[in-house]
Amino acid sequence: MSSQTAIPVSVQLTESFKSAENGNNIRFIQVSIVNEELVISNVFNATGSVSADFNRMSSFAQEGKACYFLFKKDASKSWLIITFVSPTTPVRDKMVYAATKGTLKDKLGHQHFIEEVHANNTEELTWAFYEGSHQPVNALSHQEQQFREMIKQEEQERTDRKSGAKSGYHSVNMALSSSAADLIANFIASQINFVELAIDSTGKRAINGTAGRQVNSLSELATITTKTEPRYYLFKHTGKTYFIYLCPDASPANLRMVYSTTKASVPENGRNLGLLVDFRLEVRDGSDLTADYLRSAVNPSLAAVSTPAVANTNIRGRGGLQPGGRGASWQSSETTAAKNVNKVDTPHPIYSLINQGESNNNTRNPNSKKVVIPPQGAW
């Protein structure tokens, strides 16, 4: 609780304040301490808006002299008590005015005052400064502001998106531009058998058609596909339509995320144009699209024949463990079920470690690690 002084309030000040509270035209009262008493220095009647009258207080303030302003807003019992103390005010006066403010409020009635304001110069006795002091101060760093904006965008995205997935990565539906629709129409009409699609880089949130041509051999795919950024491709081969998501190792991380969450948009929106996709594939390089790999996508039973059973050549995709070296396919549940039926009869590579490096005298290095061999068929 702040300390107070025994300085009394003059009768004139008490009566003028009561009169102003009861509805007369007084806008503000300037109060000073004179001869150990709180007295009226000036009274200003309302002449215009609250903001205009507030700005007039600065003309009554004097450098080096402290005072109070009792400023009345439009409604009753909505007074501001403003303490004006300039930097050149004597230290004793600063202390006396700071301690007497509580006394002034007690004598006139705390219930009439809604706010206390402190001003050090005439610039702070303006309505603009008073309004600005009520604005929230943003104390966040630039990085914190970016993080908050990212969280806000994610929340908005969750609100706008209709997601049926219970877990895992969500998918984002992105529209096909007119250039993409035109190329897909030519693709459906068999005028071309190869289409390249890319997400618009100008922020329009659309998938554009960037190239369309007739490919005569699979070897061409390695030369016409990108090696630095992800792309979507439509390709017809031996009567089958393939949707290919190509994501090179050199792709920027942000583009990988965008293309990965948007890849379902092409088959889904293309269906409205009459596009029917037979197989969906994911590869890292155009050279992965070999005849053997495409045949294994059509007939999974050929996978064990066309691809050696080496651990690092099998990549797990959405449909389970998929063959194809650096590529992976994400196919229908029927294809996945067919793959699960196949049994790989070659031994697990871990068995090749048996007896490697073992000495003839059966002397075991105390620092060597024991290799635990799983039983046959466990993998």
Side-chain angles (χ1 to χ4, degrees):
M1 189 173 181
S2 61
S3 59
Q4 298 183 11
T5 63
I7 297 178
V9 176
S10 67
V11 176
Q12 181 188 13
L13 174 57
T14 304
E15 294 298 327
S16 296
F17 185 80
K18 288 182 179 179
S19 176
E21 180 62 24
N22 291 332
N24 69 1
N25 203 31
I26 294 178
R27 176 65 77 186
F28 65 81
I29 302 173
Q30 184 182 17
V31 180
S32 303
I33 299 176
V34 179
N35 298 327
E36 300 298 321
E37 186 180 23
L38 289 162
V39 299
I40 296 176
S41 297
N42 289 289
V43 176
F44 185 83
N45 292 329
T47 58
S49 63
V50 174
S51 58
D53 291 343
F54 193 99
N55 293 332
R56 293 182 180 273
M57 284 191 296
S58 59
S59 61
F60 292 89
Q62 299 181 28
E63 182 69 24
K65 291 185 179 181
C67 67
Y68 303 112
F69 288 100
L70 308 180
F71 187 88
K72 181 184 178 183
K73 288 189 172 181
D74 289 334
S76 61
K77 295 184 179 180
S78 60
W79 290 79
L80 307 178
I81 181 169
I82 304 170
T83 305
F84 175 80
V85 180
S86 66
T88 57
T89 302
V91 175
R92 181 183 180 279
D93 289 350
K94 291 180 179 179
M95 297 176 62
V96 171
Y97 273 85
T100 308
K101 179 171 59 177
T103 303
L104 179 61
K105 291 178 64 176
D106 278 346
K107 298 299 183 180
L108 299 180
H110 280 272
Q111 70 275 14
H112 300 294
F113 297 94
I114 61 171
E115 189 177 356
E116 296 182 6
V117 180
H118 188 87
N120 293 313
N121 51 60
T122 55
E123 293 180 357
E124 296 179 0
L125 288 176
T126 60
W127 184 255
F129 184 87
Y130 172 73
E131 286 285 285
S133 65
H134 290 73
Q135 299 296 324
V137 178
N138 189 359
L140 298 178
S141 65
H142 179 66
Q143 290 80 3
E144 291 171 329
Q145 293 179 31
Q146 286 185 324
F147 181 75
R148 174 174 288 187
E149 183 63 25
M150 181 185 69
I151 296 298
K152 185 185 298 184
Q153 291 176 358
E154 289 179 351
E155 292 295 332
Q156 184 63 39
E157 186 70 22
R158 292 189 185 98
T159 302
D160 295 341
R161 189 189 314 116
K162 296 180 180 179
S163 176
K166 295 183 179 179
S167 62
Y169 292 105
H170 66 267
S171 61
V172 176
N173 188 16
M174 191 170 290
L176 299 174
S177 68
S178 58
S179 61
D182 292 341
L183 286 176
I184 292 175
N186 294 336
F187 181 85
I188 296 172
S190 298
Q191 297 178 10
I192 53 177
N193 67 349
F194 178 85
V195 171
E196 182 184 72
L197 303 169
I199 295 177
D200 190 283
S201 59
T202 61
K204 294 181 180 180
R205 302 189 68 176
I207 298 176
N208 296 329
T210 55
R213 58 181 295 177
Q214 188 72 26
V215 174
N216 298 319
S217 65
L218 291 176
S219 60
E220 294 183 44
L221 297 179
T223 59
I224 63 176
T225 52
T226 179
K227 298 184 182 299
T228 57
E229 292 185 359
R231 286 293 185 271
Y232 303 132
Y233 295 104
L234 294 173
F235 180 54
K236 281 185 181 179
H237 180 67
T238 63
K240 303 294 183 182
T241 297
Y242 297 85
F243 170 70
I244 303 166
Y245 166 44
L246 183 144
C247 186
D249 292 333
S251 302
N254 60 328
L255 290 182
R256 293 186 188 185
M257 295 177 62
V258 173
Y259 274 80
S260 177
T261 56
T262 315
K263 61 188 178 185
S265 299
V266 176
E268 291 176 2
N269 294 331
R271 190 180 300 115
N272 298 329
L273 302 175
L275 176 67
L276 298 178
V277 174
D278 296 309
F279 298 97
R280 307 183 186 193
L281 308 177
E282 291 186 15
V283 295
R284 298 178 183 175
D285 192 270
S287 60
D288 295 333
L289 297 170
T290 63
D292 288 342
Y293 178 62
L294 295 182
R295 280 198 300 268
S296 68
V298 176
N299 189 354
S301 62
L302 298 176
V305 177
S306 62
T307 306
V310 181
N312 62 1
T313 60
N314 291 323
I315 298 177
R316 186 171 296 276
R318 284 182 54 187
L321 196 63
Q322 305 294 338
R326 296 168 62 193
S329 63
W330 39 297
Q331 305 174 17
S332 63
S333 58
E334 292 81 5
T335 303
T336 304
K339 288 192 175 187
N340 292 335
V341 174
N342 300 322
K343 180 179 179 181
V344 180
D345 296 324
T346 55
H348 193 281
I350 192 67
Y351 289 98
S352 64
L353 299 176
I354 297 176
N355 297 328
Q356 283 189 4
E358 183 175 344
S359 61
N360 295 329
N361 58 5
N362 295 325
T363 302
R364 185 171 179 269
N365 186 348
N367 295 325
S368 63
K369 295 183 180 180
K370 182 179 180 180
V371 178
V372 179
I373 307 301
Q376 286 281 0
W379 62 285

